Structures are given as structure tokens and as C-alpha cells.
């Protein structure tokens, strides 16, 4: 009689108990007791430019969002939130304005050159994903792990040059990413002993474009590969929250990037249902096809400055 072959596991092995994995849950009260929070979402080079210009223009007018008890950054927002918390938003605004002459920024956020087929496979799986089911996220993550992208040391090195600091900028900073093997949402804080440049690189590691980053005993990819680019549950219950994200999904007929057309609206409603008062802003316009295109940066800068000037009075009232 033939020996029965060992069964093949149908789910990932149990991840290490490192405190990184935090399930998405608006009932967990992650933000309870906080007076305020700032959430900066993902959106490529375009949204880096918009957020930096918006925040810098606010600061110039006396509305400083740095130093909130909790600041959550995802993908593009992880870079901007780290710069914000380090007190360097004005300096970084100047560097973003010189984007075409800042190869270290381009190298970190908008890789040039033709992608390998393995990179294209991972990128397309992410870009075309219409849901955030566990199987979908793991398939994207496994493709990202298999892709022949630049080595994992490249992106943190470029990010470190932009941040100009190795220190975790504040206790309130929370950077999101996704375990590429298990598909779990991970949240990195200063308590984990991970350098901020590595955390930002993980949160911004778009599948196929960048290699998943080593975070403790995990390999982590872009925090947006999770059905959300903002992770608003991490501030649920805070008294008030300023949320900057790329789009509210209006006009979209199908999902993409693991989000559905109503994901943002549903998430904002869930946050408000916990009692958090929300100030929400996004770019006036955006084109998903140009998010990684440096040519879109000048318009993003002008748009961010214009919207910030229009929002100053409302934000001052909101933050009192």
C-alpha cells in the first residue's frame, strides 16, 4: 500500500510574534485618548509633491501639523510624514520643487528603465487588483518577492539621503506596510528598532518596482497593498484627525490597487462613526496613470499650495 503523501499547507505559516502585525479593526480603539492625529496616504511621486506643498504652505501660514500624538504614513505618505515629523518639511519642499534635478528622489520613488517580465507581473497584479481578499494580497506579495527588482539596499539608501537623519523622528509616527508572504498589515513604530529609512522604503515598495524590504524577520511591501492607502483604523477614536489622501473614488467604475470605488468613503464613515471629527482633503484633480511621472510634479505643487491657502482658516478653526 502506497504511503500517504504529507498534506500541503493551504495557508502561510504562523508569522513571528514581533508585534508588527496589526489587524485592521475600527473597533480596536487604536486612537482612543488621542487629542489629534494626522494621516498621510499613498499616491506616488505626484502625491508626495502635493502633500509636501500643501503642508509647507500651511506651515508658512501658521498651521503646523507636525507633532500630533499620532501620525500615520503610508507609501508616499510614509516619506512625507517622516519629513514632517523631523521638522524638515520646508527644506524638502524645495527639493521636491527641483525634482527634475534630484536623481536621488527619482531613484527612490520613480525607477526608470524597462521592467523585467517578473516585475511587470507583480506590478500588474497590484494595479489591477479589485479587492483586498487575503488570497489576492498574498498573490501580489509572492509575485513581488519573485520579481527581479533592484536589490533591497538601494531604496533605503536613497530614502536616507532625503531624510538626512537615521533617528526615528517622533514617538507618534506609525508607518504601515504589508508582509509580502503572509499578507498581514504591519505597523512600524520607533519601538521596533527599525531605521526610519528602512520603514519608509518598506511602506513605499510598490510590487514589481521595488524589492520587499527586510523588516525584522519579515519581507514587507507597500502599505497600500491592503485595500486602503490610509489605514484610518489606527486613529479611530481620536478626538480629531486630519486626513490627506489621493482620491475618494468618485467616478471610478471598478476597483484597482486592492481598493474598491467606495473604499475611501466607507473608511472615512467608519472613522467618524467612532466619534472622531475628520478634516479630509485630497488633490483637486489627479490622473492615476501619471502618479509616478515627474512631469506631473509642477501641477501637483501648484495645486497643493493653492488648496492650502484656501484651507487655512477652516483648519485653524478645526484644530482649536
Amino acid at each position: 500500500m502506497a504511503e500517504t503523501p504529507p498534506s500541503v499547507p493551504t495557508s502561510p505559516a504562523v508569522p513571528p510574534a514581533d508585534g508588527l502585525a496589526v489587524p485592521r479593526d475600527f473597533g480596536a480603539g487604536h486612537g482612543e485618548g488621542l487629542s489629534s492625529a494626522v494621516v498621510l496616504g499613498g499616491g506616488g511621486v505626484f502625491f508626495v509633491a502635493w502633500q509636501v506643498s500643501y503642508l509647507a504652505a500651511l506651515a508658512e501660514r501658521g498651521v503646523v501639523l507636525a507633532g500630533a500624538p499620532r501620525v500615520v504614513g503610508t507609501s508616499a505618505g510614509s516619506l512625507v510624514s517622516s519629513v514632517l515629523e523631523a521638522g524638515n518639511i520646508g527644506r524638502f519642499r524645495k527639493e521636491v520643487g527641483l525634482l527634475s534635478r534630484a536623481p536621488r528622489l527619482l531613484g527612490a520613488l520613480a525607477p526608470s528603465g524597462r521592467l523585467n517580465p517578473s516585475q511587470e507581473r507583480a506590478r500588474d497584479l497590484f494595479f489591477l487588483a479589485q479587492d483586498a481578499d487575503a488570497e489576492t494580497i498574498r498573490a501580489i506579495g509572492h509575485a513581488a518577492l519573485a520579481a527581479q527588482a533592484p536589490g533591497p539596499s538601494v531604496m533605503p539608501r536613497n530614502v536616507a539621503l532625503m531624510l538626512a537623519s537615521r533617528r526615528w523622528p517622533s514617538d507618534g509616527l506609525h508607518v504601515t506596510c504589508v508582509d509580502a508572504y503572509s499578507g498581514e498589515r504591519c505597523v512600524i513604530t520607533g519601538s521596533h528598532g527599525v531605521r526610519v529609512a528602512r520603514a519608509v522604503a518598506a511602506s513605499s515598495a510598490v510590487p514589481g518596482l521595488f524589492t520587499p524590504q527586510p523588516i525584522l524577520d519579515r519581507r514587507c511591501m507597500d502599505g497600500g497593498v491592503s485595500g486602503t492607502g490610509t489605514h484610518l483604523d489606527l486613529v479611530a477614536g481620536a478626538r480629531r484627525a486630519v486626513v490627506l489622501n489621493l482620491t475618494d473614488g468618485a467616478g471610478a467604475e471598478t476597483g484597482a490597487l486592492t481598493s474598491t470605488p467606495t473604499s475611501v468613503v466607507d473608511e472615512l464613515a467608519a472613522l467618524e462613526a467612532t466619534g472622531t471629527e475628520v478634516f479630509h482633503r485630497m488633490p483637486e484633480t489627479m490622473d492615476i496613470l501619471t502618479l509616478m511621472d515627474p512631469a506631473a510634479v509642477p501641477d501637483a505643487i501648484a495645486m497643493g499650495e493653492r488648496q492650502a491657502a484656501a484651507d487655512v482658516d477652516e483648519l485653524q478653526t478645526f484644530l482649536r
Side-chain angles (χ1 to χ4, degrees), residues 193-260:
V194 177
R195 288 184 177 179
V196 65
R198 180 74 69 180
V200 170
S203 186
S204 306
V206 178
L209 301 188
F210 302 105
T211 299
Q213 291 291 316
I215 302 295
L216 302 185
D217 195 33
R218 300 172 184 265
R219 296 296 179 270
C220 294
M221 59 182 174
D222 196 298
V225 192
S226 55
T228 174
T230 51
H231 300 271
L232 297 184
D233 66 294
L234 296 176
V235 302
R239 179 183 171 191
R240 55 181 177 251
V242 175
V243 178
L244 306 183
N245 80 301
L246 183 66
T247 177
D248 61 3
E253 297 181 358
T254 61
L257 304 172
T258 70
S259 294
T260 68

Side-chain angles (χ1 to χ4, degrees), residues 25 42 117 134 165-166 197 210 250 314:
D25 182 3
S165 174
R166 293 185 176 185
F210 302 105
E314 184 178 351

